Amino acid sequence: MLQGKRILLIIGGGIAAYKALELIRQIKREGGEVTPVLTRAAEQFVTPLSASALAGAKVYTHLFDLTDEAEMGHIELSRSADLVVVAPATADLMAKMATGQADDLASTLLLATDTPVLVAPAMNVRMWLHPSNQRNIATLQADGIHRVGPNEGDMACGEFGPGRMAEPSEIYSEIKALLADGPLAGRHVIVTSGPTHEPIDPVRYLANRSSGQQGSAIATALAGLGAQVTFVTGPASAPPPLGVTVVKVETARDMLDAVTSALPADAAVFAAAVADWRMSEAAAEKIKKAKGEAPPALSLIENPDILATISQMKDGRPALVVGFAAETENVVENATKKRVRKSCDWIVANDVSPETGIMGGSENAVTLINKEGAESWPRSSKDDVARQLAHRIAEALG
Ligand code: CTP
């Protein structure tokens, strides 16, 4: 939550400016206050009226307005915020920041401020990679300016590469991490969640019944304690939580790649129900059934074990690695062995026999297993289990 936090949002002139409107909505939804400032170029992409309506606040534009100055001078405006966010941060705006130019309201505010600044760059890939832009980025980094993105992908200009502005949810997650209070402030935690889908052919896949509810609840609880959370999720039915960086994946191999790319982390919680096997070779075309022929035999191979891979890392292992154990019999005994086999610090064991209604249901009954022993928690909602686990993680990280 951003209750009572004030954000000065400088919107630069780029096609990604429309995403800044969604960012305003997210900040507002979480209780933060936003004062938007639009550059002259930004007004070509979004209107001051949209920004003002969504922020529920006065909007400042490139003009130095005498009335505005009388109400709140630009120096005060730049300093009354808890955080200044520049999104999209164009090459031009960042060049001004790097060289200390102040020729309009936005650049003047950026030069006058003494509050932390977060930039979300957005530009064409060639512009991003240009040595002069890279020099400016290095200067801003040395000046202690925080940065989120840019991401790599298809761009509005038709090219591909780094330069896309980070998604509003990613920018929001960074804002929260910078402003967070709470025992996990400044900590990065990775959470995996949901099932994975392993293709059989272009239309069929192997999967399981995980809804992703428990993983979503854990990510929400950790973010609630101030953690910066990277939420790596398979195709789950539960909506991803707000205020976390969401990475959507399909297969176990994608999930392992996403987790590895998200490192370093202080802790990692592996709540995903990863498919243990995949097709040794997925068919490139839809498998047809021919009359009188036997059904196709599915030849399976084992997927990488993400939890074990991360737990057994020699360098860069998160200080606390938490796995889950979905069991249908001898829950504590099997889970205790699983913890040792996978080399994780804790295992959250649960009984997923159909009669418990846990898989896909809203409640959970878990036993927390660590090297000292096993501790059973009373059956409660998945949200409660998540909150309890998040508190234990905060205590363990100290
Ligand atoms: N896990 C993983 N990668 C896999 C399989 C499991 O990261 N390929 C993680 C899960 O996210 C969970 C833990 O390992 O945290 C245990 O998952 P579970 O399905 O209970 O165990 P399995 O290794 O699949 O063992 P088994 O099916 O034999 O019980």
Side-chain angles (χ1 to χ4, degrees), residues 192 270-276 303-307 323-327 338 341-342:
T192 69
F270 293 89
V274 183
D276 289 317
N303 264 329
D305 190 310
I306 306 165
L307 170 62
F324 271 70
E327 306 291 343
K338 201 172 271 183
R341 193 169 69 240
K342 301 207 180 198

Side-chain angles (χ1 to χ4, degrees), residues 60-131:
Y60 294 81
T61 58
H62 65 282
L63 297 168
F64 277 93
D65 182 294
L66 276 182
T67 327
D68 290 352
E69 281 294 310
E71 278 173 13
M72 184 189 283
H74 63 273
I75 300 288
E76 198 186 334
L77 181 60
S78 74
R79 295 186 190 167
S80 59
D82 297 298
L83 181 70
V84 179
V85 178
V86 190
T90 58
D92 177 60
L93 253 176
M94 289 191 295
K96 283 180 180 164
M97 289 171 76
T99 50
Q101 286 181 57
D103 61 358
D104 62 0
L105 182 61
S107 52
T108 305
L109 292 172
L110 285 161
L111 193 61
T113 193
D114 57 0
T115 42
V117 177
L118 170 70
V119 293
M123 68 195 71
N124 165 274
V125 54
R126 296 276 153 245
M127 290 168 74
W128 172 253
L129 295 173
H130 196 283

Side-chain angles (χ1 to χ4, degrees), residues 39 76 118 136 139 142 168 173 187 210 217 252 276 317 352 372 396:
T39 64
E76 198 186 334
L118 170 70
N136 291 337
T139 303
S173 161
R187 304 290 198 161
S210 166
D276 289 317
R317 180 193 192 274
V352 291
E372 272 83 46

Side-chain angles (χ1 to χ4, degrees), residues 7 93 97 104 144 166 171 176 191 208 221 275:
I7 289 144
L93 253 176
M97 289 171 76
D104 62 0
I171 302 173
K176 249 199 50 198
V191 178
N208 58 62

Side-chain angles (χ1 to χ4, degrees), residues 258-328:
V259 168
T260 314
S261 317
L263 291 170
D266 298 286
V269 182
F270 293 89
V274 183
D276 289 317
W277 306 284
R278 66 174 187 274
M279 291 284 286
S280 51
E281 214 169 324
E285 305 297 338
K286 186 182 171 204
I287 303 171
K288 305 293 279 180
K289 65 176 184 304
K291 240 192 156 90
E293 267 183 30
L298 301 185
S299 152
L300 303 177
I301 53 170
E302 208 170 312
N303 264 329
D305 190 310
I306 306 165
L307 170 62
T309 308
I310 302 301
S311 292
Q312 288 158 13
M313 280 174 70
K314 296 262 178 309
D315 292 314
R317 180 193 192 274
L320 181 67
V321 178
V322 183
F324 271 70
E327 306 291 343
T328 55

